[in-house]
Amino acid sequence: MSTTPDAPTSPTIEQQCSASALSNITPIPIPLAVIDANGNIIDANLALGALCDRDVDELRAMNLQTLIWGQDFDRYRDWLGEALENSGPRHSQRMCLRLADNSQRLVQLHATSWQGDPLMTQLIVHVEDIHERAHAEATLQYQSDMNKLLMNLSSHYETVTLEEVDRWLVEALCTIGTFIGADRSYMFSVSPDETEISNTHEWCAPGIEPQQENLQDIPMEAFAWWMETLRRNETINIPRVVDLGEEATDERDELIEQGVRSLLVLPLIAGGRLVGFTGFDAVREERTWPEEAILLLRASNSLFTSALVRRLMDSLQESEERYRTVVEDVRSVIFRIDENGNWSFLNKAWEELSGYTIEESLGKRAVDFIHPDDHERITGAITEIVSGVNDVGRTEVRAVVHDEVRWVEILGRSLRDSDGNVVGYSGSIDDITERKLAEQAADEARKEAERSSQAKSEFLSRMSHELRTPLNAILGFSQLMEMSDLGAEEAENVSHISRAGEHLLDLINEVLDIVRIEAGQMSLSLEPVELGALIGESLDLIRPASGELNLRIQTSLGIHHELWVQADRRRLKQVLVNLCGNAVKYNCEGGDITITCSRLANGVIRIDVTDTGIGIPQDRIDDVFVPFERLGAERTPIEGTGVGLTVTKSLVEAMGGSISVASRQREGSCFTVELPAATNQTSHSLVELPPSNRTAPVNGKNLALVLYIEDNPSNATLVRRILAYRPQIGLLVATEGMEGVELARMQRPDLILLDLHLPDMDGAEVLRLLLAEPDTKGVPVVMISADATEGQAKRLMAMGANDYLTKPIDVTQFLTTVDHYLKNRSKGKRAS
Ligand code: ADP
């Protein structure tokens, strides 16, 4: 085959050059230079100037080596040497050119010997621009390497067993991380509830610090922008972490904190949901990853997703396994009942509880296991679950197991289909027989405690009665004697009896108070009490005694009349009378008593009772509230029992308050009571003092008839003597209950005085009969009893008694009461 002579063929560089003079390389459109044996550029053309971004004249003054990058100098020199030695064939070498702006460009230098000047060796150099081609080649190579790598990972993954998945994941992160030149690569998985992420696998280049431990259970909401981007299945490619925008400040701060400078993160999406992500960090320097790397990483992510899902499935299976083991291991019976009410699942615990095997029980009626008497109860519980009243039902029933009756607790819930129809039940059964027995024992103990408390209270009532009955006679008769004409000496003797009796009465009352508080029998009715009035009433009671010592009493009434405390009015009065009484008793002639009240910041009202009396020795002050301690007062003429302050303290504390004392011998004492302030200030504590009309005569011409039902002759005599001061009153006495009721019916008295303890029946029973009888039900009944307990009085008043007087009889009070009911008699209606 011959070529046509005029056929266009591309001329070789040599042809082009030989066809023109040296000076003629200039128009040739390929970059050319003519150099001498030392590399000095003798000539260069415009195309070379354009490639190097320099003037041709500038080039002509340079050595070719200065156009080469330093790292290629050795190669350049080798190339030049060879080109000079072997004239003829072309010598080519790939090299990096330094452009005027210091950037690089990949070129291929081709050299051909040139005989332009016969006197010197010259080379003509073709500087071929292979930059684009080399880049494309490199990319292709990169892709091919990456493909190979992925193929390897993928084929390896195919053979990986479940146990090996974790190891495979770390190896894959290492391989890819190394390949793309990352400093760290990792995988995160999203928690099943899609609220947290955790770093599950990590690879770090040598010298790079791992972060996995710090990156567990991180709330996804902390990195909202990051998560949103990944959820959209977008890659996060951040060449410069510091440039992250406003929307990602949290992410930026966290990454900077970890020392991450550039990063690449790819989502792992399964079933349309974000299940995790892979990431590649640059820590040592900022990095820009090529686009093809990102594309290929995205391809690799399908492997990571698959591995992650495999792991998740595995852990689900594992938890199912674990669940089964737990169900088998628990001591409670776990059950399922089908829609026909038959057992459809039972765990091992069933066999122990019931004594039946699981096999023989499955398919049998569940209710047969319940004691017949409790079928109704279990049906009720099931109805509540089915009707939706309760989501989970709990019931305690008896079960027949191992031929005995045991108590079981059943917790159950309904199982429903997608339409909400009940298709069965599931739940647990526990043997609670021991607990039930313990509860029964506790119940028994509580009842026993109640019984013993009841016994205590009966004892108190009895004691009170037994002690007061003889005192009644002592005090009553001595009062009567005081009222009669006595000689001076006799009068003094009687007054001794009286004082001793009163002292004994105080003592009994106080001791009984203490016993009552300790036995929990002291019932307090706490209500808002206004202090001004109460202090006024208390001071009225001590004023006569204070007058004897010429004491000045001051109260900060202007302030305290507005103060309200939460207290039992009667008991607080007892406290105040006690403290004020002591302030009088232990004062000195002409001394002072001051009562001040103030409101403290913490909702507490403070009452100070201060005196200028004898004071308490410093070393005895701790014993002030100890029962029967009189701290030396027993050696003085001042009367006392040493119990008043003990009662006072108990009462204050029972009302939720506290009491303290500050005292100096020979200077005086200050007792401080603190009580809670009342929040609701109603006026029902403003109780009027009882009238003190000591001598009110009965207003009427007719003889009034009083029936006294009392078995104790000395009590009857006492009342007879007292009523002798009311000549217009006739007295009838019945010594037994039934006799009293009979007398009342026949005689229609104007007033009945009724003792509580009668030989044939209880006073309360007599009261009931009197109230039931038409002839007697209109007659006022005043109970007279030695039983001073509050409960007793309340009970009888509630039954219909008109009044309740306690023995020992206070003559004045007795007469006032009798006068009151007889006065109302004249109005022809029953007094109240
Ligand atoms: P008493 O019946 O002896 O007064 P208290 O329990 O009321 O019993 O008081 C106990 C003791 O505390 C008294 O005996 C007395 O020594 C001392 N005491 C009580 N109040 C005062 C007071 N205001 N000033 C000095 N001593 C007091």
Side-chain angles (χ1 to χ4, degrees):
M1 192 174 93
S2 64
T3 54
T4 323
D6 55 356
T9 51
S10 55
T12 65
I13 295 168
E14 291 81 10
Q15 282 166 343
Q16 287 186 37
C17 293
S18 58
S20 65
L22 249 186
S23 58
N24 286 342
I25 63 167
T26 310
I28 298 173
I30 43 181
L32 293 174
V34 178
I35 58 168
D36 65 14
N38 294 320
N40 294 321
I41 298 175
I42 297 160
D43 198 3
N45 67 355
L46 288 171
L48 183 63
L51 178 63
C52 301
D53 198 17
R54 293 176 195 273
D55 277 351
V56 174
D57 288 341
E58 191 189 349
L59 287 173
R60 284 181 187 138
M62 292 170 82
N63 186 290
L64 185 59
Q65 190 174 333
T66 54
L67 288 177
I68 305 297
W69 268 93
Q71 80 244 22
D72 287 342
F73 279 174
D74 288 346
R75 206 151 4 130
Y76 166 79
R77 280 192 287 267
D78 291 348
W79 164 79
L80 184 59
E82 276 178 33
L84 289 170
E85 272 172 29
N86 309 310
S87 52
R90 279 169 54 182
H91 292 277
S92 294
Q93 187 58 271
R94 191 174 277 208
M95 230 156 284
C96 217
L97 209 62
R98 180 202 295 272
L99 306 188
D101 64 353
N102 246 354
S103 62
Q104 298 181 344
R105 199 140 185 100
L106 204 61
V107 294
Q108 184 95 21
L109 294 186
H110 307 274
T112 310
S113 53
W114 176 254
Q115 299 303 323
D117 183 346
L119 296 177
M120 58 190 288
T121 311
Q122 291 181 343
L123 291 174
I124 184 160
V125 181
H126 171 202
V127 183
E128 185 187 9
D129 182 358
I130 59 162
H131 197 81
E132 306 302 335
R133 195 182 81 212
H135 182 74
E137 275 172 17
T139 305
L140 278 174
Q141 187 61 47
Y142 191 86
Q143 286 175 348
S144 133
D145 290 350
M146 187 103 187
N147 272 332
K148 260 188 236 153
L149 183 146
L150 287 178
M151 290 290 286
N152 275 344
L153 283 179
S154 173
S155 59
H156 185 191
Y157 179 71
E158 300 299 318
T159 62
V160 157
T161 63
L162 201 54
E163 293 73 43
E164 294 166 338
V165 167
D166 286 324
R167 217 179 55 217
W168 177 87
L169 273 165
V170 178
E171 276 172 17
L173 287 170
C174 166
T175 312
I176 298 178
T178 313
F179 183 78
I180 69 164
D183 292 322
R184 191 187 293 124
S185 53
Y186 44 84
M187 185 170 88
F188 273 70
S189 76
V190 172
S191 66
D193 60 358
E194 299 186 33
T195 58
E196 289 176 341
I197 46 170
S198 293
N199 188 173
T200 53
H201 302 82
E202 182 186 50
W203 163 83
C204 293
I208 300 296
E209 209 174 316
Q211 293 290 338
Q212 187 174 4
E213 263 181 32
N214 311 329
L215 301 171
Q216 299 300 314
D217 306 324
I218 299 165
M220 291 172 84
E221 61 186 19
F223 302 112
W225 168 80
W226 181 299
M227 295 305 142
E228 273 319 301
T229 312
L230 294 177
R231 279 199 182 101
R232 290 196 301 270
N233 202 6
E234 288 173 18
T235 299
I236 297 175
N237 182 4
I238 307 167
R240 280 167 56 85
V241 165
V242 284
D243 288 347
L244 267 172
E246 280 300 305
E247 70 283 6
T249 39
D250 290 340
E251 287 84 351
R252 184 187 61 204
D253 295 347
E254 178 64 27
L255 289 167
I256 290 174
E257 165 104 21
Q258 289 176 32
V260 179
R261 302 172 77 167
S262 311
L263 92 160
L264 191 61
V265 179
L266 299 103
L268 300 176
I269 304 273
R273 310 177 84 93
L274 181 72
V275 291
F277 55 85
T278 49
F280 303 88
D281 290 350
V283 176
R284 285 183 267 238
E285 56 181 15
E286 283 166 2
R287 281 288 314 266
T288 308
W289 280 285
E291 198 51 36
E292 49 276 12
I294 297 170
L295 286 172
L296 290 164
L297 284 176
R298 282 193 81 97
S300 76
N301 255 13
S302 62
L303 281 179
F304 282 111
T305 310
S306 161
L308 180 59
V309 171
R310 251 172 100 171
R311 278 187 89 248
L312 285 175
M313 296 294 290
D314 179 40
S315 64
L316 273 180
Q317 262 169 16
E318 204 178 276
S319 59
E320 171 87 14
E321 286 284 299
R322 223 177 293 141
Y323 170 73
R324 281 182 180 285
T325 330
V326 169
V327 165
E328 283 311 323
D329 282 356
V330 283
R331 298 187 51 182
S332 306
V333 173
I334 306 290
F335 69 86
R336 211 173 289 157
I337 298 173
D338 64 18
E339 51 206 323
N340 303 318
N342 300 329
W343 298 119
S344 61
F345 172 86
L346 287 160
N347 66 344
K348 271 245 155 20
W350 168 255
E351 300 194 335
E352 196 181 326
L353 176 86
S354 71
Y356 301 114
T357 65
I358 295 172
E359 288 70 35
E360 66 181 317
S361 303
L362 290 178
K364 295 243 171 73
R365 260 162 47 102
V367 75
D368 289 347
F369 141 85
I370 309 290
H371 191 283
D373 290 354
D374 284 347
H375 279 191
E376 208 172 303
R377 195 183 303 189
I378 199 93
T379 318
I382 292 174
T383 314
E384 283 196 357
I385 306 177
V386 174
S387 62
V389 176
N390 284 330
D391 195 23
V392 176
R394 179 190 167 280
T395 182
E396 289 176 8
V397 287
R398 284 159 297 173
V400 190
V401 288
H402 296 287
D403 292 333
E404 62 168 321
V405 176
R406 308 275 303 169
W407 276 97
V408 292
E409 179 189 61
I410 305 181
L411 276 171
R413 67 163 70 234
S414 56
L415 301 170
R416 291 170 193 263
D417 62 15
S418 52
D419 296 331
N421 302 317
V422 175
V423 292
Y425 305 92
S426 69
S428 63
I429 307 170
D430 280 290
D431 188 330
I432 54 160
T433 311
E434 312 306 326
R435 190 178 89 201
K436 232 20 201 185
L437 290 177
E439 273 173 16
Q440 276 164 4
D443 201 41
E444 213 27 65
R446 189 178 46 77
K447 285 194 186 129
E448 181 55 42
E450 273 169 13
R451 273 197 292 273
S452 96
S453 155
Q454 179 71 21
K456 246 187 219 167
S457 131
E458 277 162 17
F459 167 77
L460 270 179
S461 167
R462 194 168 181 78
M463 269 287 284
S464 168
H465 181 258
E466 296 298 331
L467 290 170
R468 279 159 193 268
T469 302
L471 255 186
N472 189 36
I474 297 171
L475 285 173
F477 282 110
S478 57
Q479 281 179 71
L480 278 180
M481 285 169 85
E482 277 173 337
M483 289 160 96
S484 59
D485 287 336
L486 295 174
E489 198 183 323
E490 283 168 318
E492 204 192 318
N493 291 346
V494 173
S495 108
H496 277 303
I497 299 173
S498 265
R499 285 224 310 277
E502 269 155 21
H503 179 77
L504 192 56
L505 183 60
D506 283 349
L507 194 60
I508 292 168
N509 283 338
E510 284 171 347
V511 170
L512 284 176
D513 271 349
I514 293 178
V515 177
R516 243 181 246 145
I517 293 169
E518 280 178 0
Q521 299 287 322
M522 170 81 73
S523 67
L524 294 169
S525 89
L526 297 180
E527 56 181 352
V529 176
E530 200 270 322
L531 273 179
L534 195 70
I535 290 172
E537 285 170 28
S538 310
L539 289 177
D540 281 349
L541 294 177
I542 57 126
R543 230 177 275 278
S546 71
E548 288 171 20
L549 276 171
N550 290 321
L551 302 177
R552 282 185 305 268
I553 301 178
Q554 291 178 327
T555 54
S556 57
L557 273 171
I559 303 166
H560 66 63
H561 80 277
E562 296 221 332
L563 292 180
W564 294 72
V565 289
Q566 188 71 10
D568 179 306
R569 193 173 202 281
R570 195 161 71 89
R571 295 304 182 176
L572 180 55
K573 187 169 167 184
Q574 187 179 344
V575 165
L576 292 171
V577 170
N578 220 336
L579 294 177
C580 295
N582 280 350
V584 172
K585 273 203 303 187
Y586 300 102
N587 220 318
C588 310
E589 173 81 30
D592 286 312
I593 296 174
T594 316
I595 297 150
T596 53
C597 302
S598 51
R599 178 189 290 277
L600 306 183
N602 51 356
V604 165
I605 303 286
R606 172 181 172 143
I607 308 163
D608 290 306
V609 179
T610 315
D611 64 65
T612 54
I614 57 171
I616 300 163
Q618 208 53 46
D619 59 336
R620 301 301 311 276
I621 204 137
D622 289 343
D623 299 331
V624 141
F625 300 106
V626 176
F628 302 106
E629 275 292 350
R630 296 208 64 213
L631 318 177
E634 65 276 19
R635 293 187 296 275
T636 69
I638 307 168
E639 286 181 358
T641 58
V643 187
L645 282 178
T646 314
V647 176
T648 300
K649 184 170 191 284
S650 303
L651 285 174
V652 170
E653 288 172 355
M655 290 188 284
S658 63
I659 183 167
S660 57
V661 58
S663 183
R664 259 176 202 277
Q665 223 172 353
R666 288 182 291 279
E667 286 184 21
S669 313
C670 174
F671 284 83
T672 301
V673 172
E674 291 188 351
L675 282 166
T679 43
N680 173 22
Q681 298 169 1
T682 54
S683 60
H684 54 267
S685 65
L686 290 171
V687 178
E688 270 183 40
L689 278 175
S692 56
N693 184 356
R694 288 163 182 253
T695 53
V698 175
N699 186 14
K701 294 179 190 119
N702 303 335
L703 192 73
L705 189 62
V706 173
L707 169 65
Y708 187 18
I709 309 175
E710 164 68 272
D711 64 322
N712 184 308
S714 69
N715 280 343
T717 310
L718 176 64
V719 165
R720 193 182 299 281
R721 295 272 163 84
I722 297 171
L723 288 182
Y725 284 80
R726 296 284 182 267
Q728 67 276 45
I729 296 177
L731 181 71
L732 276 175
V733 176
T735 53
E736 289 196 359
M738 213 48 228
E739 183 196 351
V741 176
E742 277 301 300
L743 265 177
R745 209 163 49 81
M746 291 183 319
Q747 300 292 332
R748 307 267 193 100
D750 299 296
L751 174 68
I752 299 171
L753 305 172
L754 176 58
D755 180 37
L756 206 51
H757 296 273
L758 294 164
D760 60 337
M761 64 172 76
D762 192 52
E765 179 59 17
V766 177
L767 177 66
R768 204 182 56 73
L769 292 173
L770 288 172
L771 291 171
E773 183 73 42
D775 293 338
T776 53
K777 73 174 178 202
V779 184
V781 179
V782 173
M783 307 299 300
I784 299 184
S785 170
D787 186 343
T789 50
E790 222 170 296
Q792 189 71 287
K794 271 192 188 156
R795 188 170 70 88
L796 287 153
M797 298 286 281
M799 275 181 71
N802 294 68
D803 231 317
Y804 191 98
L805 296 179
T806 52
K807 296 174 187 168
I809 290 173
D810 176 321
V811 176
T812 312
Q813 188 195 19
F814 176 81
L815 282 176
T816 310
T817 310
V818 170
D819 288 349
H820 171 71
Y821 289 103
L822 293 184
K823 193 161 60 181
N824 285 342
R825 172 195 75 120
S826 61
K827 292 175 191 161
K829 59 177 182 188
R830 189 169 186 224
S832 59

